Amino acid sequence: MFKIDSIFIPVTNIEKAADWYEKYLGAQKINSWDNGAGFYLAAGSTQLALIKAESEQPVAFITEGRQKNAYYNFVVDDIEAAHHHFQSHNVETTEINNFGGMKCFDFFDLDGNPFSVVNEAEDSPFHSDNVRKMQRNGK
């Protein structure tokens, strides 16, 4: 019934941010308008929209342990290759962490927006194949 259609990301410079998202995420521009630009990614159906903000805006929340947590993440098949891709282009990243089958790291865009990259183990209930099975079975 419901699915995530678009994610809106506040940026202070649409043109520079659009170039950055195209270069480092492989985003393809769908359209642009006065204060924004829309993109799609090679995989999945969720779209990204960059929206002009007057100043940097928080796109993360603070957990009990005072750690920043991104509101959403990107999933990849090869997390080491994704991490290397960002580091080889001097994009700020954290180290890869392993949480019992889920590997993840964060990277930051030009406005300092944090994004998580994850790779779920195949036996994880959160792995996309297992989620699709639950969707088919109505669970």
Side-chain angles (χ1 to χ4, degrees), residues 5-18:
D5 180 57
S6 300
I7 295 172
F8 298 90
I9 302 168
V11 296
T12 56
N13 184 310
I14 294 288
E15 293 78 21
K16 284 183 180 180

Side-chain angles (χ1 to χ4, degrees), residues 12-76:
T12 56
N13 184 310
I14 294 288
E15 293 78 21
K16 284 183 180 180
D19 290 345
W20 191 93
Y21 279 80
E22 289 172 336
K23 182 175 181 178
Y24 299 118
L25 292 181
Q28 298 293 310
K29 190 180 288 184
I30 299 169
N31 197 359
S32 59
W33 54 93
D34 289 341
N35 292 317
F39 297 85
Y40 69 88
L41 299 172
S45 62
T46 302
Q47 299 168 29
L48 300 177
L50 304 178
I51 305 296
K52 173 90 170 104
E54 289 186 23
S55 61
E56 291 180 4
Q57 302 293 312
V59 294
F61 58 93
I62 305 299
T63 64
E64 263 186 57
R66 304 290 306 149
Q67 180 179 346
K68 263 190 180 179
N69 199 94
Y71 283 108
Y72 47 86
N73 56 35
F74 295 94
V75 65
V76 295

